[in-house]
Amino acid sequence: MQRAKAVEGAVGTTTVANMMKRDHMRVFFRRTAALAAFVALLWAVQVVNWITGYGLNPAFGLIPRHGSGLDGVIAMPLLHGSFSHLMANTPPLLVMGGLLVATTTRALLSVNAVVIGLGGGLVWLFGGSAIHIGASGLIFGWFGFLIARGLVDRSPITLGAALVVGVLYGSIIWGVLPGQPGVSWEAHLFGAIAGAGAAFLIRTHVHAPRLGGVDLN
C-alpha cells in the first residue's frame, strides 16, 4: 500500500512538471512569435515610409519639446531613415530581443514600457532640435537592461545573458557619446539609462520563475 502511494505521488509530480514545462514552452514560442511580428512590422512601416517619400518621419517622429512631436515617444522605434538604417538595427533587435524572450519570465511588457516611455520621454525633454527616429533607442534600452540585470540578479542565466550581450555588442556603448552627425546619441544614452533603470525597478526573478502560474505579459 505504501509503495503504491509512493508511485502515485511520483506520477503526480512528473505530471505537474510536464505541465509546467509545456506552459513555459508555450509562453516562449508566443513571445518569439511576437518578436518576429514586431520586426516584420518595422519592415512593413519602412516600406510604407519609403513609398510616401519618408513622409511618416516628420509626421510621427519625436521632436523634442514640441507638442506635435510627443507622439514620437511611442512612434520613434517604428520609423527609420532608410532601408540600410533598419537593416543595421534588425540583427541586434533579434539577438537582444531573443535573449529577453528566453530569460525574462515576467514583466516583459513593464520593462519595455519603461524603456520606451522613460527613454523617449527624456529625449523629448532634453534631446537636440531634430526629428529623432529609429529603433536604436530601444536597442540601447535592451542592452542597458540585460547588462544591469545581470549585475542586479546575479544568477547564472542573467549573468550569461549579460556576458553574451557584452561580447557581441559591448562596443555600441560609444554610441551614447555626441559627435556623430545624423545619429541620435540622445536616444542611445537615454535608452540605455532607461533600460538600466528598469533592471533596478522591475525584478524579473529569472532564477526562480513561477511556471505554475506563468504571466503572459
Side-chain angles (χ1 to χ4, degrees):
M1 180 70 69
Q2 287 294 109
R3 184 178 180 182
K5 288 183 178 179
V7 171
E8 181 181 347
V11 171
T13 302
T14 302
T15 301
V16 171
N18 288 337
M19 291 176 61
M20 292 167 64
K21 185 176 181 180
R22 285 196 298 269
D23 285 343
H24 186 57
M25 293 304 296
R26 185 159 52 245
V27 172
F28 172 77
F29 286 123
R30 183 173 175 176
R31 290 175 171 174
T32 300
L35 174 62
F38 173 67
V39 174
L41 173 63
L42 295 185
W43 281 93
V45 171
Q46 170 59 20
V47 170
V48 174
N49 207 4
W50 173 70
I51 291 173
T52 60
Y54 292 96
L56 298 181
N57 292 346
F60 299 103
L62 190 155
I63 305 174
R65 296 169 298 281
H66 283 258
S68 60
L70 189 57
D71 54 358
V73 171
I74 304 297
M76 179 175 65
L78 303 176
L79 304 171
H80 291 82
S82 65
F83 282 99
S84 60
H85 183 197
L86 177 54
M87 194 172 297
N89 281 340
T90 296
L93 281 171
L94 291 173
V95 172
M96 295 189 205
L99 286 171
L100 284 174
V101 164
T103 64
T104 304
T105 57
R106 292 185 288 159
L108 195 55
L109 283 179
S110 299
V111 169
N112 282 301
V114 171
V115 169
I116 294 173
L118 178 59
L122 289 173
V123 173
W124 188 83
L125 286 173
F126 303 111
S129 297
I131 300 174
H132 296 258
I133 57 171
S136 54
L138 181 61
I139 292 169
F140 273 78
W142 289 353
F143 175 85
F145 174 79
L146 289 166
I147 295 293
R149 187 192 56 177
L151 301 176
V152 172
D153 190 81
R154 294 192 300 277
S155 73
I157 291 176
T158 55
L159 285 172
L163 179 62
V164 170
V165 170
V167 170
L168 292 179
Y169 296 107
S171 62
I172 72 171
I173 195 65
W174 301 111
V176 303
L177 300 177
Q180 189 172 351
V183 174
S184 177
W185 64 271
E186 301 98 328
H188 298 174
L189 174 62
F190 293 131
I193 290 173
F200 286 93
L201 294 171
I202 304 169
R203 300 304 301 273
T204 56
H205 300 290
V206 180
H207 59 291
R210 297 188 303 185
L211 297 181
V214 176
D215 189 346
L216 300 181
N217 61 346

